[in-house]
Amino acid sequence: MRIKNVRINGMENPTGFDFGTVCVSWKVREASGKEQQNVKIEVSLTESFEEVLCVKEGKELNSAAEKLEFQQNAHTRYYVRVTVTDDKGETAVSEPAYFETGKMEEPWVGKWITTEKEDTFHPLFVKSFEAKKGLASARLYICGLGLFTAELNGKKVGDEVLTPYYSNYHDEEQYITFDITENVKEQNRLTVSLGNGWFKGKFGLNNQSNNFGDEFKLIAELRLVYEDGEVQVIGTDETWEYIGSDVEDDGIYDGEIINHLLWKEKENLPKKAVLTEAEGKLVARYSLPVMEMEDMQVKEVIYTPLGETVLDFGQNFAGYVTFRNHLPEGTRIVFDHGEILQDGNFYNENYRSAKSQFVYVSDGRDELVRPSFTYFGFRYVRVTGWPGEAKEEDFTGKALYSKMDRTGYIETGHQGVNRLFLNALWGQKSNFIDFPTDCPQRDERLGWTGDAQVGYLKRFYEEHHFEEMVPYEPAEMEESISPFANKLAAATISRDKTRALIYYGEMDGMSTPLAGLCDGIYAISWFDPRTGQTEKAEIQVEVRGKSCIMPKKPAAGDWVLIAECIEKTEK
């Protein structure tokens, strides 16, 4: 018998998360028995479990999520071990897992810093510091707005991207915790590069910039703990400096420009950081890590009828393309991203206003090139400016998504069914970059969890003056069938019990192009619970929060009728 996949709040060895609730889960494999006879969960400050802080034991402990309750302290790593005995007396002990708390309620030593008002370029903040001998552990607690990447002594801190992720920044900002113990030397240089991201870049249906703020911001603390117990904390303040970075521009929709010649003919001397404030509260992270989860190989280099060079990765995914730069100084490479070809040529006009473009200007340095503050949804990449022949092995795609355990697998003898399943799987991967989105490619990428009908019903109830939403399930409902639809979805009744609304959900048989003109086409009917009769049946078109009653049932592809309703809602 083996115990594997011990997880804390569903995560493998999480560090710096909000652990207001701690749940342990595990899986038992290769057991000879049929059920657990006893389970013991232990929590310790040491991996050897010499000092056990908490024990929870019993037959009914839930392997899917067993809650632990004990006093936690800030900056502390807790080790967890699970022991299971089955009904045949066999016992197995798991390998230790752990979780580590962040700052919790401890006040911040670091202060929010920014640039001078006139410096609108993308900043690179710099801090040099010394570490003593006998270092036991080192942590970096950090939040940079809009997005940040940090390097310590020339090496990227952590393997996450698009940190500190999306939040309602008016209310809160997540700080991220990194274990940097192995990278700290006696003399150190920490650099933090900031990008626009969701915070101040163009984002939303109105393509508006500065949705949450109009300046770059950074707060950070380095916490060095030595073997003799001494603690050294280095926080952001006016002693930090900044220069202009080589990121010329970035945006979630438009892409990114890395220009290593940006400052070649310009002055870029260090300046002192300026203190500032942030609107939201700093909170321990809750977002799962977004990482480069899969490598995607180029399947074919296509030369189109228009003379374009296009990389075909054979699969739509969300992420970006990387390559090793050996290009001479002054070379300008442009990657344009698209989902389909049209007449054999590159096409991405369906991205609407999103440029979806990565531009790289070389200064001759040898480096692995990748954007830092954006991602794209694509299968095809048009390459412009590449000297000589573009080869498949020159480029690697990186598929980004939140770090999640895959639990579902299926393989049949029919390749079409297998492909259909993969389409759904990749649709999930590409739309789980920190938060679930409606699409990963065009000028939208907004939160989407399939809850549009909930919002529609609420607005409808309010519009028709239902004082409260009371569930209604009369026996006669099965006879109250609309002539336009036959699948009952929900019902509500007025407070005086004289009028009921029967809601059938979206219309059956509506073609996708027709429904795509509006937010939804719904069948409803008014029902008198006193007589058991349907008073009136309607079809309603929902457009941007407004509704219009259609005069008749539309036929598939009845563009004119839909257009007339849309026009009415806009007046």
Side-chain angles (χ1 to χ4, degrees), residues 515-569:
L517 288 173
C518 54
D519 298 328
I521 304 173
Y522 305 91
I524 59 174
S525 67
W526 298 102
F527 178 72
D528 187 340
R530 298 166 298 180
T531 65
Q533 299 298 314
T534 298
E535 295 179 343
K536 182 172 56 175
E538 299 174 342
I539 299 174
Q540 192 161 30
V541 177
E542 179 82 0
V543 182
R544 289 186 287 277
K546 298 180 180 179
S547 57
C548 169
I549 301 298
M550 300 187 72
K552 64 178 181 178
K553 180 179 180 179
D558 195 343
W559 305 92
V560 175
L561 194 58
I562 296 291
E564 288 175 350
C565 280
I566 293 174
E567 185 178 1
K568 288 180 181 178
T569 64

Side-chain angles (χ1 to χ4, degrees), residues 42-227:
E42 300 169 277
V43 180
S44 173
L45 290 174
T46 62
E47 194 170 5
S48 61
F49 286 81
E50 295 173 354
E51 182 182 350
V52 176
L53 302 177
C54 171
V55 177
K56 190 170 187 178
E57 190 170 6
K59 180 180 180 180
E60 303 301 328
L61 269 57
N62 186 354
S63 64
E66 186 62 41
K67 184 177 179 181
L68 300 183
E69 295 182 355
F70 65 98
Q71 183 64 44
Q72 301 174 40
N73 296 316
H75 314 295
T76 304
R77 177 169 290 190
Y78 296 97
Y79 292 90
V80 178
R81 183 170 65 185
V82 179
T83 303
V84 177
T85 301
D86 67 15
D87 54 351
K88 290 192 174 182
E90 186 178 4
T91 298
V93 182
S94 73
E95 293 294 323
Y98 68 81
F99 68 97
E100 183 176 314
T101 56
K103 290 176 61 62
M104 298 182 70
E105 299 303 318
E106 179 187 76
W108 280 77
V109 174
K111 304 173 183 178
W112 284 103
I113 58 174
T114 186
T115 65
E116 297 284 356
K117 285 291 185 184
E118 64 269 19
D119 292 334
T120 57
F121 51 73
H122 284 55
L124 180 73
F125 286 92
V126 182
K127 180 65 175 179
S128 298
F129 65 96
E130 296 182 5
K132 303 175 184 178
K133 293 183 178 180
L135 181 68
S137 68
R139 298 291 184 269
L140 173 63
Y141 305 98
I142 181 171
C143 176
L145 301 176
L147 302 174
F148 75 85
T149 60
E151 290 188 359
L152 180 59
N153 300 323
K155 183 178 180 181
K156 186 177 185 300
V157 175
D159 49 11
E160 301 182 43
V161 297
L162 303 176
T163 51
Y165 308 117
Y166 182 77
S167 299
N168 182 352
Y169 304 101
H170 295 311
D171 297 331
E172 61 189 21
E173 297 91 23
Q174 301 179 68
Y175 69 87
I176 313 298
T177 303
F178 294 107
D179 183 348
I180 57 172
T181 308
E182 299 300 320
N183 296 331
V184 175
K185 304 176 182 178
E186 186 174 342
Q187 299 293 329
N188 301 275
R189 185 174 188 263
L190 176 67
T191 61
V192 183
S193 178
L194 299 184
N196 291 317
W198 298 281
F199 177 77
K200 64 186 293 289
K202 185 171 67 174
F203 185 63
L205 293 176
N206 295 326
N207 280 321
Q208 179 177 318
S209 297
N210 301 328
N211 287 285
F212 298 97
D214 60 1
E215 66 178 7
F216 295 105
K217 303 174 189 282
L218 172 67
I219 190 169
E221 283 182 10
L222 289 151
R223 189 173 191 270
L224 311 179
V225 179
Y226 295 94
E227 294 172 352

Side-chain angles (χ1 to χ4, degrees), residues 212-410:
F212 298 97
D214 60 1
E215 66 178 7
F216 295 105
K217 303 174 189 282
L218 172 67
I219 190 169
E221 283 182 10
L222 289 151
R223 189 173 191 270
L224 311 179
V225 179
Y226 295 94
E227 294 172 352
D228 61 3
E230 180 185 354
V231 177
Q232 178 185 3
V233 178
I234 304 167
T236 42
D237 56 21
E238 304 97 317
T239 66
W240 288 53
E241 296 181 327
Y242 70 93
I243 58 175
S245 78
D246 288 349
V247 178
E248 186 172 341
D249 198 9
D250 81 272
I252 297 296
Y253 295 157
D254 289 341
E256 188 169 329
I257 303 173
I258 297 177
N259 184 357
H260 288 314
L261 300 181
L262 181 62
W263 298 98
K264 185 176 181 180
E265 306 296 334
K266 302 176 185 177
E267 186 178 81
N268 191 20
L269 299 175
K271 295 184 178 182
K272 294 293 184 182
V274 178
L275 295 182
T276 188
E277 298 289 340
E279 182 179 5
K281 177 185 177 182
L282 277 166
V283 298
R285 67 179 300 171
Y286 45 79
S287 286
L288 291 173
V290 176
M291 302 166 62
E292 296 176 351
M293 298 295 289
E294 298 181 49
D295 285 354
M296 311 295 289
Q297 304 305 319
V298 178
K299 302 301 182 185
E300 182 184 5
V301 178
I302 300 171
Y303 298 96
T304 72
L306 292 178
E308 307 158 309
T309 300
V310 176
L311 311 179
D312 179 7
F313 286 88
Q315 168 67 57
N316 268 306
F317 65 98
Y320 43 67
V321 176
T322 66
F323 66 92
R324 173 62 64 177
N325 181 51
H326 301 292
L327 304 173
E329 181 177 315
T331 304
R332 185 176 187 270
I333 306 299
V334 180
F335 291 163
D336 292 294
H337 301 76
E339 293 179 302
I340 59 174
L341 299 178
Q342 194 166 85
D343 298 326
N345 298 307
F346 178 82
Y347 177 87
N348 69 355
E349 291 184 16
N350 60 309
Y351 287 18
R352 302 185 302 206
S353 68
K355 286 183 181 178
S356 199
Q357 185 179 83
F358 176 53
V359 179
Y360 178 79
V361 180
S362 174
D363 64 351
R365 72 181 67 181
D366 181 358
E367 68 172 348
L368 183 64
V369 178
R370 55 163 58 85
S372 297
F373 304 123
T374 192
Y375 71 94
F376 311 97
F378 65 99
R379 169 178 171 175
Y380 299 98
V381 178
R382 180 174 60 190
V383 181
T384 306
W386 190 266
E389 180 185 3
K391 300 177 181 179
E392 296 175 7
E393 59 269 23
D394 291 335
F395 310 94
T396 302
K398 299 290 184 178
L400 307 183
Y401 49 91
S402 295
K403 187 178 181 182
M404 301 175 291
D405 291 333
R406 180 180 172 184
T407 58
Y409 296 84
I410 185 172

Side-chain angles (χ1 to χ4, degrees), residues 410-429:
I410 185 172
E411 184 174 357
T412 75
H414 194 292
Q415 290 305 308
V417 172
N418 294 340
R419 183 65 255 183
L420 179 62
F421 179 79
L422 287 176
N423 288 350
L425 179 64
W426 276 104
Q428 286 187 308
K429 290 178 178 180

